Amino acid sequence: MNEIYVIGHRNPDTDSICSVIAYAELLNSKGNGTYVPARCGPVTEETMYALDYFGVEEPRYIESVEASISDLPQIYSISAEESLPTIDIVKIMNENNVRNVPITDSDGFLKGLISEYGLAQAYVRRDKIEQLSITPIKLETLKRILHAKIIVPSCDLLEGRVYIAIDALHVTLSKLTKNDVAIVGDNEPTQLALIAAGIAALILADGAPAGERVRKAAEAKGVALLSTNLDAFGVGKMINLSLPASQIMATDVPTVSMEDSTDYAKQLVSNSRYRTACVTDRNGKYLGMISRNTFLDDISKSVILLDHNEFGQAVEGIENAEILEIIDHHRIGTISTLKPICFINEPVGSTCTIIASRYLRSGKEIGRGIAGILLSGILSDTMVLRLSTTTDMDREIVEKLSVIAGVDPIEYGTELIKRGMDLDNEDLESLLMRDTKKYELYGKKIIISQIMVPTFEFSHENSQEIISTSKKIKQSSGVDIFAVLLTSVFENSSELYLVADEIVVSNTGAENQPLLLEGMMSRKNDFIPWFGHILKNL
């Protein structure tokens, strides 16, 4: 069964990470699929503290949910080793109704591709008629190709030129070496003369008999003696088709990995002369083959979005994914779906509150680890129940979870928040981008960064650098407005740095920055409504 990713927003906070872990665990307990907790950004120190404290693994990192080769229901597993004769490659094509056969070495590493086009180039469109020859081929293989029987065996491997004894005998004998192979009919004197020349093998064509003298001569000289019902022309044709795949294959075959997107693979296959690409691992080992038929059905990853519902905040490739469900506690944003889905949006302080309530309604027992991370998400997003976004439901859930987790919510929550306020080990640009949300308000593209601080000392000591770095981020991100909120839980206020045009800055009252915003703690409940009202009236 395909994996379904449960994933939060970019630059995930503790609520985002913890809610996806808990919800994936709840869904997996129902046995209706395989749900994978995922993230599309780094885990913060605050979040890692919570995960380590309760012994829970971090979610899988997913760079994109764009469909990849690994999402295909199947890929062709056909291949052949480079030593296999060409005629066997043709048989593989016919039996499997394919036009291309990937060629590997004995260890399974991709070496090339034999296609109908390549076969035509090698045999039908050959401009120069070369001396018929046998490349290294096992005697048993030659027997199988010629539908022959071995009358006298000799060396196991044959390699040399091939002559059909139709010239005057002395002319043919003058050309032969010990490595060569001769084809002859029902002519015992000629058979004996060719054996006496010490060649590697003698092929009796057209069902010609091998007399006692001929067999004994071949044994004495160590000459392989084969008999076939094919005529001399047929023997020559089949030998010509005994060339190993390595001599016919093309090496310009396009390759993809299991991680490559299906859109990229489609383009590669369409532009290839073979209308095919081979799938390999990172070391070049062959995994399978894809063709145009592989993409007859649309393929997409299935995802459940938590703690966001806007394209600008979602994982890369979300436009091409199948969204099965959304659970959030923010304003309703821009994500749309092709068919109806379950969309839960509740005005509570944390997505973890919603997930915890679903656990409680399901009757499933909540383990300490899950209870602990759900508690962490709520305490983080509500600033230990201090923010204006905090509801009675948040408080009730915290009371229940703290008992299961075995911690005092105020003591644990305070320590958790302090871990997220460590500003000394990160460069300023990374710090400003650590917890950001993208919005579109009244025609303006906006990024709002929020940094939790114990006091405004950091803000005052680094104000000029914060302003210059904010300008740099606004320019590189291509948005209209970049805002930074430094929020102090202990002072119950925020300081605002704003990079925007003069009209926006003037109407916000932020000519002198930072601008102190008393009582403004929540980006969602406090700042967005206040700032959106200003933009609306410009």
Side-chain angles (χ1 to χ4, degrees):
M1 187 175 292
N2 290 337
E3 295 179 330
I4 299 169
Y5 295 112
V6 184
I7 192 166
H9 52 74
R10 301 180 194 181
N11 302 312
D13 56 12
T14 302
D15 184 39
S16 177
I17 294 290
C18 292
S19 61
V20 302
I21 295 172
Y23 194 46
E25 197 270 351
L26 177 61
L27 293 172
N28 283 323
S29 70
K30 297 178 180 180
N32 297 325
T34 302
Y35 297 87
V36 178
R39 59 185 175 89
C40 53
V43 177
T44 66
E45 288 190 25
E46 176 190 288
T47 306
M48 188 55 71
Y49 173 77
L51 298 180
D52 290 343
Y53 192 96
F54 291 104
V56 177
E57 291 186 7
E58 63 185 73
R60 183 191 301 179
Y61 175 72
I62 301 293
E63 186 174 350
S64 172
V65 291
E66 188 173 5
S68 63
I69 300 301
S70 62
D71 296 307
L72 295 172
Q74 67 175 25
I75 56 177
Y76 298 104
S77 58
I78 299 165
S79 67
E81 284 192 23
E82 57 187 340
S83 60
L84 200 66
T86 304
I87 191 169
D88 290 330
I89 304 295
V90 174
K91 183 179 179 182
I92 291 173
M93 287 181 173
N94 291 334
E95 289 178 347
N96 294 278
N97 193 29
V98 293
R99 296 183 177 182
N100 305 285
V101 176
I103 305 301
T104 68
D105 63 15
S106 58
D107 294 320
F109 289 92
L110 182 68
K111 305 301 289 186
L113 182 87
I114 289 185
S115 64
E116 287 184 346
Y117 171 83
L119 290 171
Q121 288 286 90
Y123 290 109
V124 179
R125 298 180 62 184
R126 182 180 293 174
D127 296 327
K128 182 180 178 182
I129 304 300
E130 299 173 346
Q131 168 70 49
L132 184 63
S133 63
I134 286 179
T135 53
I137 187 172
K138 290 184 177 181
L139 184 62
E140 282 290 333
T141 303
L142 183 61
K143 166 197 168 186
R144 175 173 59 81
I145 290 174
L146 297 179
H147 305 288
K149 65 178 180 178
I150 299 174
I151 299 173
V152 176
S154 68
C155 60
D156 185 48
L157 203 64
L158 298 174
E159 180 180 9
R161 296 170 296 178
V162 177
Y163 291 93
I164 300 175
I166 56 176
D167 290 329
L169 182 58
H170 71 280
V171 174
T172 301
L173 291 172
S174 68
K175 298 176 182 178
L176 293 172
T177 70
K178 63 179 181 178
N179 295 320
D180 295 336
V181 175
I183 304 170
V184 68
D186 187 7
N187 187 326
E188 186 172 278
T190 301
Q191 295 170 1
L192 291 169
L194 293 169
I195 292 171
I199 58 178
L202 179 65
I203 299 172
L204 306 182
D206 217 6
E212 184 68 21
R213 293 173 59 197
V214 172
R215 286 197 297 272
K216 288 184 177 180
E219 290 172 355
K221 276 290 198 177
V223 176
L225 185 62
L226 296 89
S227 174
T228 176
N229 289 326
L230 296 175
D231 61 17
F233 174 77
V235 172
K237 177 183 176 183
M238 298 306 287
I239 287 176
N240 196 30
L241 289 172
S242 72
L243 292 173
S246 58
Q247 291 197 12
I248 303 297
M249 69 183 186
T251 57
D252 61 342
V253 52
T255 61
V256 294
S257 70
M258 295 296 283
E259 293 76 31
D260 284 328
S261 71
T262 53
D263 282 348
Y264 169 73
K266 285 178 187 177
Q267 184 178 10
L268 201 65
V269 168
S270 296
N271 293 335
S272 166
R273 72 170 71 181
Y274 312 110
R275 298 295 187 262
T276 290
C278 290
V279 185
T280 61
D281 66 13
R282 294 179 180 178
N283 298 317
K285 202 159 190 176
Y286 174 75
L287 301 175
M289 177 177 64
I290 56 176
S291 68
R292 288 177 295 180
N293 292 338
T294 307
F295 305 106
L296 291 179
D297 297 323
D298 289 333
I299 305 296
S300 61
K301 278 183 166 62
S302 298
V303 299
I304 294 174
L305 302 182
L306 265 59
D307 202 32
H308 69 296
N309 68 98
E310 299 194 52
F311 280 121
Q313 297 176 18
V315 62
E316 292 288 343
I318 192 64
E319 298 86 355
N320 300 317
E322 181 185 11
I323 301 172
L324 303 180
E325 187 177 0
I326 299 174
I327 300 177
D328 193 16
H329 69 123
H330 298 95
R331 76 185 187 110
I332 295 183
T334 57
I335 285 183
S336 60
T337 60
L338 293 176
K339 60 184 180 182
I341 65 168
C342 178
F343 185 179
I344 298 174
N345 188 279
E346 296 189 31
V348 292
S350 164
T351 303
C352 281
T353 300
I354 305 172
I355 302 303
S357 68
R358 299 195 73 169
Y359 262 94
L360 295 172
R361 288 198 303 271
S362 72
K364 175 178 170 55
E365 182 180 351
I366 306 177
R368 180 178 182 272
I370 294 298
I373 61 172
L374 284 171
L375 177 65
S376 301
I378 300 171
L379 295 176
S380 173
D381 245 28
T382 62
M383 291 292 111
V384 197
L385 307 177
R386 289 189 181 95
L387 292 186
S388 60
T389 54
T390 307
T391 66
D392 289 340
M393 183 176 176
D394 297 307
R395 297 184 183 93
E396 291 171 8
I397 295 291
V398 163
E399 186 177 348
K400 294 176 181 178
L401 293 176
S402 59
V403 172
I404 301 171
V407 297
D408 180 278
I410 303 303
E411 290 181 6
Y412 170 74
T414 301
E415 181 61 28
L416 178 71
I417 297 302
K418 285 181 179 178
R419 295 299 178 116
M421 293 181 183
D422 184 5
L423 310 179
D424 296 330
N425 299 320
E426 198 167 356
D427 69 89
L428 186 58
E429 184 170 350
S430 298
L431 184 64
L432 295 181
M433 292 300 293
R434 186 167 68 183
D435 182 8
T436 59
K437 296 285 180 67
K438 289 184 177 181
Y439 301 91
E440 285 198 24
L441 294 174
Y442 303 104
K444 301 286 188 181
K445 292 182 180 179
I446 307 168
I447 293 179
I448 303 173
S449 168
Q450 187 169 32
I451 303 168
M452 297 301 168
V453 294
T455 69
F456 292 126
E457 182 181 357
F458 177 84
S459 173
H460 299 159
E461 290 179 352
N462 298 277
S463 59
Q464 292 305 311
E465 190 177 356
I466 292 173
I467 292 171
S468 61
T469 305
S470 297
K471 289 179 179 178
K472 177 182 174 183
I473 293 173
K474 174 185 177 296
Q475 184 176 7
S476 63
S477 60
V479 295
D480 301 302
I481 299 170
F482 183 74
V484 179
L485 285 173
L486 284 97
T487 302
S488 172
V489 178
F490 306 109
E491 298 186 30
N492 195 38
S493 58
S494 297
E495 286 194 337
L496 171 66
Y497 291 86
L498 187 66
V499 183
D501 60 48
E502 291 183 7
I503 296 176
V504 173
V505 172
S506 175
N507 280 269
T508 307
E511 293 93 339
N512 296 315
Q513 298 185 27
L515 173 67
L516 180 64
L517 300 172
E518 295 282 358
M520 191 165 291
M521 302 289 288
S522 169
R523 172 170 45 193
K524 176 183 68 174
N525 262 30
D526 300 331
F527 183 75
I528 287 293
W530 173 76
F531 193 58
H533 181 73
I534 292 172
L535 294 179
K536 180 180 179 182
N537 292 295
L538 288 180

